[in-house]
Amino acid sequence: MLLPAPMIFSTLRTALLASLLCAAGPSPAQTPPPPARKPLVLAPTVEGLLLCDAAVADTRIGDINAAYAFCRQRKQSGAAALTRLLDTLEPGGPKGAVQVGYTLTLQLLALYQKTPKGWAIDTDVLDAYLRVISQVDRPVVVYLAADHFDSLGPLPTELAKDPRNLMHLAGGKPLELGYFGYRIVPYTLLTDPDIPVNHYRFEALKQVAQRIKALPRKVQDRIVAYTLAGELHQMFPDFENGMGAWQNIQVTDYSAPSVAGFRAWLQGKYQTVAQFNAQNGFDYASFDAVPAPARDIRKDKLNSFGEHYDAYADGTLPIGGWLWDPKQSIDQLDLYLDGRRIGPVQRGLNRLDVYRAVAEVTTPNTGFRYNLDFSALAPGHHLAQVVAQSGSAQYKLAQVEFVVVPRDQSRAKTTRAREVAGLKDAKQLAGVRSWLDMPRALQDVYYNPLARDWNAYREAQVVGFLKAFHARAAQAGLPADKLYSHQIVPEVNASWNAQLFAVGATLQGDTPWKQGLNMYGGATDSAWLRAFMAGRRISDYGAPEFNPQQWKRPGAALAALQSHYDGGARFISPYYFSVIPERFKGSAEHGVNRMELGPKNAKDGSDQFYQAIIEFAKR
């Protein structure tokens, strides 16, 4: 829909109206009309922005890196190919309430080259990127990447060899990770500028900002947003598949400086070790003696109970699964514990795995979850029941028994917990299918208050680094009203373990940056996510990565885009397009390249999303 054109008054009429108002005296206060919103920018991530037409035309060049070097030597870029792509999506240039631009990704560490004087920014490479912004007259989101995906090139290879630059697992071992064949490096979240990786990240940020500020004002004005750093979070093994791990989990960061920071954080919170001990039931002699929890009481020998750590040690037991209710028979889900109602169960969470696996499920938003705080429960057996309300009737959707075990591991009571009796089976409701994924039956849980502090500290590390990166971006002169995060929202995925990521503190509405929230699958059109943002008063947000990954319902992608226009999004970055010819690409298919957008790629609904972008850009 087009925005209404502003009313235009001649100078004479305005002056006459003002004089009449003054003569008549003051009028009752009137609410000024809200300012017209800025256009929503569709800024797809595009692969191959530095690949020039001349290199593509030269069939003697068969290697993509050689092609990039060819273009760089001739001071050419992929501006022409990018322009053709964007003109296909929105012919005639950016106009109207929805405008097509693009996202330009600058991996800061990859900009460096080795020189006789040390590592320095390769100005030829930086010039090539800035040339794209100068030559393509379209709105652009500049992604200033410096997270674990900024891992290619000679400097990241060198930095990965130095343990100071990395997050560590318990025992001091740095993580070695990959993502669909792409090497990733778990850089530290400590903010010390003397750590080598931070020196290079912050210096590159400063130099890039200086170069952008030197561009002509017309070119600078094309930049509608800067997204900062990338998906900052704690790390864990099996990065491709491990985000839903609940058993035998391992987390970061146990490096010596991080553990020292944890002890300082505890002292700041509790002031004295006596207060810490009194509040938590410990007897440590000093904060220096307090461990960072890392051992599982079930299999490891503990020197003190404070060492215990697992997915439930902070006192949270997730109760969740998925529900398919095609006739919308169920009005609400509630959690009952030992026969007493605790509260409503969150519904509509993303379960893309269920969408893929079950043919009749036509939306990924089938997940449900309740994060139960068991820290104050008495030791013994407890019964959790997920009860569905349909009209005036109640139905049992799922139930599971779990065991709260005391610190000394003494035998828990085996008395049968109370339950809500007489419930009908939810399977009696037409079309309803469901499954309870977690916890497993008779899951034993141990509450360690120090584990709760450890998780809070790990969140403080994530938000602390993003604050430091944002502060340096602002100090470098990048406009504050264009600085957005580039964050993941783990809890929108019902089966994920958000503790592995520890990003909650970065997702508030009172942060110094504007929120950029990455969305895949059902998260792209999610009532849960909208409520999440409303509860945190998040507005004027962006979606730095966005792909519905759906193909079963025509119009799902278009509806997702419209929902964010209605929600006030400033930009959406569809993931992803490519202007790289097939001869430069590998033939292997994986979870990422299934999402390449185009009219001929039906995988993950990529063709439908492509058409939705074209349709949406007409508005």
Side-chain angles (χ1 to χ4, degrees):
M1 61 189 74
L2 295 178
L3 295 174
M7 296 182 67
I8 301 174
F9 295 90
S10 68
T11 304
L12 178 61
R13 181 181 176 188
T14 302
L16 177 60
L17 179 60
S19 66
L20 290 172
L21 288 174
C22 290
S27 61
Q30 294 183 353
T31 303
R37 66 165 289 173
K38 297 177 180 179
L40 169 62
V41 175
L42 294 179
T45 298
V46 182
E47 178 186 53
L49 292 183
L50 301 188
L51 183 60
C52 59
D53 284 354
V56 173
D58 191 338
T59 56
R60 296 170 298 176
I61 303 175
D63 176 75
I64 187 65
N65 292 319
Y68 284 141
F70 177 93
C71 300
R72 193 162 56 248
Q73 290 167 1
R74 288 156 179 77
K75 298 189 182 302
Q76 298 177 10
S77 71
L82 174 61
T83 298
R84 290 193 296 271
L85 168 65
L86 302 182
D87 285 346
T88 300
L89 302 178
E90 186 189 23
K95 56 187 178 297
V98 176
Q99 300 180 4
V100 172
Y102 63 101
T103 293
L104 183 138
T105 302
L106 275 173
Q107 292 191 324
L108 297 182
L109 297 175
L111 292 174
Y112 284 90
Q113 65 177 344
K114 191 71 173 287
T115 74
K117 295 183 179 181
W119 294 101
I121 296 292
D122 186 336
T123 55
D124 287 343
V125 174
L126 181 54
D127 285 344
Y129 281 110
L130 299 181
R131 196 174 296 123
V132 174
I133 299 177
S134 297
Q135 294 176 352
V136 178
D137 189 10
R138 289 271 187 170
V140 56
V141 173
V142 176
Y143 172 18
L144 299 170
D147 66 348
H148 42 277
F149 284 111
D150 187 3
S151 58
L152 301 182
L155 178 58
T157 299
E158 189 73 18
L159 293 172
K161 299 175 183 177
D162 187 342
R164 292 177 297 169
N165 298 319
L166 308 175
M167 290 186 272
H168 294 205
L169 295 172
K173 181 181 179 182
L175 277 163
E176 296 181 5
L177 298 172
Y179 187 69
F180 295 106
Y182 183 97
R183 184 186 71 163
I184 59 177
V185 180
Y187 299 119
T188 182
L189 293 169
L190 302 176
T191 58
D192 183 352
D194 292 330
I195 297 174
V197 66
N198 288 344
H199 166 75
Y200 292 116
R201 289 196 280 201
F202 296 154
E203 181 60 26
L205 176 60
K206 177 182 176 181
Q207 291 193 36
V208 168
Q210 290 174 344
R211 292 295 307 280
I212 288 175
K213 287 163 57 182
L215 294 171
R217 172 52 56 186
K218 179 182 178 182
V219 175
Q220 291 186 55
D221 288 345
R222 292 174 188 158
I223 302 173
V224 298
Y226 300 86
T227 64
L228 301 178
E231 291 183 340
L232 295 175
H233 55 77
Q234 298 285 353
M235 300 298 290
F236 46 90
D238 189 16
F239 186 70
E240 287 182 18
N241 307 298
M243 65 283 295
W246 296 91
Q247 304 297 325
N248 303 315
I249 65 168
Q250 299 180 69
V251 300
T252 53
D253 177 16
Y254 292 94
S255 65
S258 175
V259 173
F262 176 50
R263 290 166 175 156
W265 184 89
L266 289 173
Q267 186 165 5
K269 177 179 178 179
Y270 294 100
Q271 303 302 309
T272 68
V273 73
Q275 177 65 24
F276 167 75
N277 286 331
Q279 188 166 329
N280 297 301
F282 296 125
D283 60 355
Y284 294 107
S286 68
F287 283 113
D288 288 340
V290 177
R295 297 183 178 183
D296 188 333
I297 196 171
R298 301 171 189 82
K299 59 182 181 178
D300 301 321
K301 181 179 180 180
L302 307 187
N303 296 309
S304 67
F305 183 74
E307 292 182 321
H308 171 59
Y309 188 78
D310 67 0
Y312 318 109
D314 76 342
T316 304
L317 178 66
I319 298 168
W322 61 271
L323 164 66
W324 174 236
D325 178 19
K327 298 184 180 299
Q328 298 183 340
S329 304
I330 295 174
D331 303 314
Q332 182 171 314
L333 297 181
D334 292 293
L335 181 70
Y336 284 75
L337 180 65
D338 300 331
R340 181 172 62 90
R341 182 181 181 275
I342 301 299
V345 176
Q346 298 179 89
R347 295 177 62 184
L349 298 165
N350 187 38
R351 285 298 300 264
L352 194 58
D353 57 331
V354 176
Y355 177 84
R356 294 185 189 281
V358 184
E360 63 264 38
V361 172
T362 59
T363 172
N365 291 331
T366 59
F368 67 85
R369 184 183 62 232
Y370 189 101
N371 293 326
L372 176 66
D373 185 344
F374 68 85
S375 62
L377 291 183
H381 288 237
H382 296 273
L383 179 68
Q385 293 176 289
V386 180
V387 176
Q389 188 77 33
S390 179
S392 60
Q394 289 185 315
Y395 296 82
K396 181 177 72 175
L397 190 77
Q399 69 179 39
V400 63
E401 195 170 359
F402 63 95
V403 185
V404 177
V405 186
R407 293 185 182 189
D408 62 5
Q409 294 182 281
S410 57
R411 180 180 292 275
K413 298 178 182 178
T414 56
T415 304
R416 180 168 176 79
R418 290 181 300 157
E419 65 178 290
V420 181
L423 293 174
K424 302 175 183 178
D425 192 330
K427 293 179 182 178
Q428 297 177 16
L429 296 170
V432 167
R433 295 186 60 178
S434 67
W435 187 261
L436 185 74
D437 292 298
M438 54 186 174
R440 62 177 175 83
L442 296 176
Q443 174 69 57
D444 54 331
V445 292
Y446 305 73
Y447 173 52
N448 176 13
L450 188 56
R452 183 170 288 188
D453 279 333
W454 175 240
N455 282 344
Y457 168 71
R458 293 169 60 243
E459 280 199 12
Q461 284 188 315
V462 180
V463 75
F465 187 87
L466 187 48
K467 284 182 177 179
F469 198 90
H470 171 268
R472 288 179 179 270
Q475 290 166 8
L478 296 181
D481 65 335
K482 294 184 178 181
L483 299 181
Y484 291 77
S485 61
H486 192 115
Q487 281 296 78
I488 194 169
V489 188
E491 286 197 345
V492 75
N493 300 289
S495 60
W496 286 20
N497 183 351
Q499 294 177 8
L500 300 175
F501 298 87
V503 299
T506 69
L507 303 175
Q508 303 302 316
D510 58 354
T511 57
W513 56 83
K514 296 181 179 181
Q515 289 293 350
L517 307 177
N518 294 342
M519 305 174 194
Y520 288 93
T524 56
D525 191 3
S526 166
W528 183 93
L529 189 57
R530 287 190 286 273
F532 176 91
M533 291 192 289
R536 288 157 179 76
R537 298 184 178 179
I538 295 172
S539 59
D540 191 13
Y541 65 96
E545 297 177 25
F546 188 94
N547 193 313
Q549 297 175 277
Q550 297 174 54
W551 59 92
K552 297 180 182 180
R553 289 183 298 126
L558 189 60
L561 292 170
Q562 183 64 46
S563 73
H564 291 286
Y565 181 89
D566 296 340
R570 179 69 179 99
F571 68 90
I572 296 173
S573 297
Y575 188 87
Y576 69 103
F577 286 89
S578 178
V579 292
I580 298 177
E582 290 299 322
R583 80 171 190 268
F584 292 128
K585 297 180 181 179
S587 59
E589 179 185 303
H590 49 68
V592 174
N593 63 22
R594 289 177 60 89
M595 291 187 285
E596 182 179 337
L597 303 177
K600 298 180 181 180
N601 181 21
K603 302 181 184 72
D604 273 12
S606 298
D607 54 349
Q608 294 185 35
F609 189 23
Y610 171 82
Q611 294 297 336
I613 291 169
I614 293 174
E615 182 63 29
F616 195 58
K618 297 175 182 178
R619 304 185 179 190

